[in-house]
Amino acid sequence: MRPSTRGPLLRRLSEIILEPIQFLVDGLLPKGSLSMLFGDPGCGKSFLMDLLVESLSGSVRRVHFHSFMQEVQNTLHEARKTATKDALAQVAKYISKGLKLLALDEM
């Protein structure tokens, strides 16, 4: 029997298994999660992102948000031409393959 998706799921604290958090950058960016920088124009958000991207080794991609969304839309359009059951999942897998970090910026 599946739990109801209507309303909160209650669990006992003793049932929750704690797992250590893996960080992309020690103590700052948890792996597999969304992190956002926000602030007024000119406060250094893009500069901080540039520093982060330059400091990481491995597969890191920095792209303008609108260019990224156009890529997603075009790839999604092509995926829907195939017999795939879940085109969005296929596109997400394709775009994220091998990436350690995807940095989107408004520039």
Side-chain angles (χ1 to χ4, degrees):
M1 187 168 118
R2 294 176 53 190
S4 171
T5 56
R6 294 179 167 172
L9 173 66
L10 300 175
R11 298 182 83 179
R12 290 190 175 127
L13 193 56
S14 61
E15 296 172 348
I16 298 173
I17 299 170
L18 297 178
E19 297 179 6
I21 298 172
Q22 296 180 357
F23 288 94
L24 189 59
V25 176
D26 289 337
L28 296 176
L29 291 176
K31 272 187 173 180
S33 69
L34 170 69
S35 297
M36 295 178 67
L37 290 174
F38 60 92
D40 293 331
C43 71
K45 300 176 298 291
S46 294
F47 177 72
L48 285 174
M49 186 180 295
D50 288 338
L51 289 176
L52 172 65
V53 168
E54 289 175 18
S55 72
L56 294 174
S57 60
S59 184
V60 178
R61 181 176 176 206
R62 185 181 193 282
V63 63
H64 186 276
F65 175 78
H66 293 117
S67 298
F68 175 74
M69 291 309 296
Q70 286 174 336
E71 176 187 347
V72 169
Q73 182 60 39
N74 292 337
T75 310
L76 193 55
H77 180 70
E78 293 301 316
R80 286 182 174 148
K81 290 179 182 178
T82 67
T84 186
K85 191 172 187 176
D86 188 351
L88 186 57
Q90 180 181 333
V91 170
K93 194 175 198 176
Y94 168 76
I95 289 175
S96 64
K97 186 176 182 178
L99 276 183
K100 187 177 196 177
L101 173 72
L102 174 62
L104 301 175
D105 192 7
E106 280 292 319
M107 291 188 214

